[in-house]
Amino acid sequence: MSYRRDLRRYAAFLADRGIGEPTAIRGEDVTAFLVYLREGDTHHPPLGSGSAARTVVAVRGLHKFLLRDGLVEADVAASVKPPSPPKRLPKALTVDQVQAILDAAASPGTTLAGRDRALLELLYATGARISEVVGLDVDDLDFEAASVLLRGKAGKQRIVPFGSYAQAALRDYLVGTRPALAASGRGVAAVFLNSRGGRLSRQSAWAVLVRAAERAGIAADVSPHTLRHSFATHLLDGGADVRVVQELLGHASVTTTQIYTLVTIDRLREVYATSHPRALG
């Protein structure tokens, strides 16, 4: 139904331009139709990128059909690309929400509280991927330099600093909880161990965060990547340079990191609107 409606709208647009035969359609007509979809008119509201992309796909399908059946000599719509979907802003927790999760990880009565607190402190302190943290060996931690060696995608390595809170949580875990866990296993070098003394899995580490978020009463969906998003957003909110954040996250291109600046711009607008004496009329 939507395919038929899209093509009817395309035919009406062409008719308004005085085009009645497929052979008279040019590439610029297809491009103009896309612009028309995004701008709208008195009878049609502007289409979002998703709806416009769907309509352009229908139009491109029509022109492929016309070429395949020999009704035209060229596919004039082939070079017209559907609009890209808007960048989705990463979900970031507030600093207070992160603090609540970290506190909940170390709640009394949980036998692995020391490990869980150290795990989540390190995730938030470094912005590391969950796979990078569960892949850590003890020798990857440098307490003198307060840094950790992370192994990212395609084997790329980077050294990332961590703060005093993560350092204290790691020391407490390595001295307190980890030796007892290691005694149950075969002496693996992993930093984070499961209850059997083996390396903690990615899935189990994820579950640690989810349980802590539930105990903290955080209703939003929280994943290890949420802490990574929050790490980047909070750094930028605090004035960090985007290229520094790029290096810390291990992004190959600063373009990947720049999506986080969209979050901080929204925050800047919010602060401006509530703080500037002439922001609101």
Side-chain angles (χ1 to χ4, degrees), residues 59-251:
V59 169
R60 290 181 63 177
L62 170 66
H63 281 277
K64 285 181 181 178
F65 169 79
L66 294 173
L67 179 63
R68 188 172 61 245
D69 275 28
L71 300 175
V72 294
E73 295 182 355
D75 182 355
V76 297
S79 62
V80 179
K81 304 299 182 186
S84 301
K87 292 182 177 179
R88 295 181 61 187
L89 297 181
K91 296 178 181 178
L93 299 169
T94 66
V95 174
D96 287 343
Q97 287 177 319
V98 172
Q99 183 64 58
I101 290 173
L102 295 175
D103 290 343
S107 59
T110 55
T111 57
L112 297 174
R115 181 204 64 186
D116 295 350
R117 177 66 181 254
L119 172 71
L120 299 188
E121 285 279 9
L122 189 60
L123 279 171
Y124 177 59
T126 61
R129 302 175 179 91
I130 188 67
S131 57
E132 294 171 343
V133 168
V134 297
L136 286 175
D137 290 338
V138 174
D139 288 344
D140 295 325
L141 296 172
D142 185 342
F143 283 97
E144 185 174 343
S147 64
V148 59
L149 174 63
L150 298 175
R151 296 173 179 81
K153 294 181 178 179
K156 293 182 179 179
Q157 298 182 357
R158 68 189 187 279
I159 295 176
V160 178
F162 52 77
S164 59
Y165 288 95
Q167 185 166 170
L170 283 166
R171 285 191 184 278
D172 289 346
Y173 162 65
L174 292 174
V175 173
T177 309
R178 190 182 182 282
L181 294 175
S184 304
R186 300 180 180 180
V188 298
V191 172
F192 295 104
L193 303 178
N194 59 32
S195 58
R196 298 179 301 280
R199 186 181 295 275
L200 188 70
S201 69
R202 181 176 176 275
Q203 292 76 14
S204 295
W206 189 308
V208 168
L209 174 58
V210 171
R211 287 196 298 268
E214 289 176 347
R215 286 197 294 268
I218 307 298
D221 290 336
V222 177
S223 72
H225 226 63
T226 308
L227 287 185
R228 184 167 160 86
H229 292 331
S230 303
F231 164 85
T233 302
H234 297 166
L235 278 175
L236 290 167
D237 279 342
D241 183 85
V242 67
R243 291 194 179 275
V244 173
V245 178
Q246 173 197 355
E247 292 295 328
L248 293 173
L249 291 173
H251 286 160

Side-chain angles (χ1 to χ4, degrees), residues 10-44:
Y10 181 49
F13 173 81
L14 293 174
D16 287 343
R17 292 170 72 92
I19 300 171
E21 296 294 332
T23 53
I25 304 173
R26 299 165 300 169
E28 49 263 42
D29 296 317
V30 184
T31 300
F33 180 59
L34 174 57
V35 173
Y36 159 72
L37 291 175
R38 299 308 304 274
E39 293 180 348
D41 59 22
T42 55
H43 302 292
H44 302 92

